[in-house]
Amino acid sequence: MTVETRSAMKAPWRRLRSSWRARGDSHLSGALTGQVHAALEGAALAQAMVNKKVNPADARSQIAEIEHRGDEQRAELVERLSQTLVAPLDREDLFRLSRSIDDVLDTIRDFVREADLYQIEKRKTYRPFLDDVVGAIESLDEAVDALWSKPHRVPLKALEAKKAARGISRGYQDEFAKIIDGTVSPQALKHRELIKRLDMVGMRINDAADVLTDGALKRGY
């Protein structure tokens, strides 16, 4: 295959990419970014809670409002997907990504709710977890933003999110080992459930990063 032939084959795809960048479906990109920002806001709220800047009962009330905004953004994205012909990822991958981000926020909500329900103790124990959660979602935000501006950077940013998510998992394993070595008590069981929920947040972030990576590779970024 000659260089000219390869260039001719790539030309239509280049035009499509230029098309969505030129038009910039602001509603589609805004809805997806809005979902990520809602997840980030939820993580920041959980972080404020473990830093004793917000009490668990108030955090539980506020996370419900954040979740509602995230649901609205997801509904907007689903509606826009049905009207969009050209997008930086396949429609199915964008839907999967949206669902994964929704799962991230839902799991953060569960952590906040259970923190209030279990009357969370020793909040500083959870600070490294939430630091990693916030960092991972920030990397996810950068990856999503790059979809419309610098798609070749999407896999790298998604990898950064995955690395931060792995930090959450390692923290869970270390903390779980301490629980196993200690005395089994109601407080220890509650602590185990809370760190397990944070580990699940990390898994959901990892899932979202995987969808981004897979979708980007399909498009040859």
Side-chain angles (χ1 to χ4, degrees):
M1 185 183 295
T2 66
V3 174
E4 290 78 7
T5 302
R6 285 197 296 269
S7 297
M9 292 175 64
K10 291 180 180 178
W13 176 234
R14 289 194 184 117
R15 285 196 295 272
L16 285 176
R17 286 199 294 188
S18 297
S19 175
W20 88 59
R21 289 176 189 171
R23 279 178 313 159
D25 190 336
S26 58
H27 293 287
L28 182 61
S29 62
L32 188 59
T33 299
Q35 267 197 272
V36 181
H37 288 179
L40 185 57
E41 188 178 353
L45 174 64
Q47 191 179 45
M49 181 185 68
V50 301
N51 285 326
K52 298 185 178 182
K53 295 180 179 179
V54 180
N55 69 60
D58 287 342
R60 185 174 179 176
S61 175
Q62 291 177 38
I63 196 70
E65 297 175 4
I66 295 170
E67 183 187 22
H68 179 67
R69 290 197 293 274
D71 288 342
E72 288 181 334
Q73 294 297 326
R74 176 160 166 73
E76 172 73 10
L77 181 134
V78 171
E79 181 181 355
R80 284 289 161 182
L81 275 179
S82 66
Q83 304 170 11
T84 301
L85 296 177
V86 181
L89 294 183
D90 292 351
R91 187 177 301 179
E92 180 184 348
D93 289 328
L94 280 172
F95 184 83
R96 287 171 57 214
L97 177 58
S98 173
R99 184 176 59 198
S100 295
I101 296 168
D102 186 53
D103 288 342
V104 172
L105 180 54
D106 283 351
T107 314
I108 293 171
R109 174 209 60 201
D110 291 341
F111 169 75
V112 172
R113 180 181 63 83
E114 290 171 7
D116 180 40
L117 183 65
Y118 297 152
Q119 297 181 342
I120 187 172
E121 299 177 352
K122 298 180 180 179
R123 297 191 210 179
K124 66 179 182 180
T125 307
Y126 305 93
R127 290 173 188 169
F129 289 93
L130 270 304
D131 289 344
D132 283 337
V133 168
V134 169
I137 299 176
E138 286 176 343
S139 293
L140 201 62
D141 184 32
E142 292 175 2
V144 168
D145 183 63
L147 276 174
W148 276 268
S149 56
K150 299 178 181 178
H152 64 281
R153 292 183 58 81
V154 170
L156 177 61
K157 290 299 178 181
L159 180 59
E160 290 176 1
K162 287 174 68 67
K163 286 180 178 178
R166 284 197 292 270
I168 301 168
S169 179
R170 286 193 298 270
Y172 167 75
Q173 292 166 7
D174 291 343
E175 201 63 29
F176 185 74
K178 294 177 185 177
I179 294 172
I180 294 299
D181 290 341
T183 303
V184 177
S185 65
Q187 289 75 21
L189 293 176
K190 291 176 182 179
H191 181 49
R192 184 191 67 180
E193 289 303 306
L194 288 173
I195 62 170
K196 181 179 179 181
R197 189 64 65 184
L198 289 172
D199 185 42
M200 291 177 65
V201 174
M203 287 189 278
R204 300 295 178 259
I205 294 171
N206 189 76
D207 291 344
D210 279 341
V211 174
L212 266 172
T213 302
D214 292 345
L217 290 176
K218 282 183 189 177
R219 289 294 178 92
Y221 298 146

